[in-house]
Amino acid sequence: QTTSRRLAGRKVEKFEKNIKKRGLVSESTAKKGNSYPVGPVVLGFFVFVVIGSCKQFFLFMFSPIAFLWMMHLIYE
């Protein structure tokens, strides 16, 4: 199916109009430099999980049960 000349002319005009506007971006569509890629809730949850898992690991590793478990693995 061929494209009519009128439709092709519209496409060319629209394309050329966009080419002439290149580089002229309005302030509302331009990205601001002060935004973070994640929100504060997600960041807080991530810190909570990381700190919580480190605390859990150290509490286990310095407990008497962990010492007995490591000795059992070494001298088994």
Side-chain angles (χ1 to χ4, degrees):
Q1 181 177 353
T2 60
T3 307
S4 68
R5 287 186 176 256
R6 187 181 63 171
L7 187 60
R10 282 187 195 167
K11 285 184 179 181
V12 169
E13 286 175 15
K14 188 175 181 181
F15 178 76
E16 288 179 355
K17 189 166 80 172
N18 285 338
I19 292 295
K20 292 175 185 175
K21 288 183 180 179
R22 187 173 286 179
L24 302 174
V25 181
S26 65
E27 288 294 323
S28 63
T29 59
K31 271 193 161 183
K32 305 291 183 204
N34 298 335
S35 66
Y36 295 106
V38 295
V41 174
V42 175
L43 187 62
F45 180 73
F46 180 73
V47 169
F48 173 77
V49 168
V50 169
I51 300 289
S53 63
C54 290
K55 185 179 82 172
Q56 187 77 20
F57 173 74
F58 284 116
L59 284 175
F60 174 74
M61 288 310 292
F62 295 117
S63 68
I65 296 171
F67 178 73
L68 294 175
W69 178 69
M70 285 188 286
M71 290 297 121
H72 172 71
L73 290 178
I74 293 171
Y75 295 115
E76 187 174 77

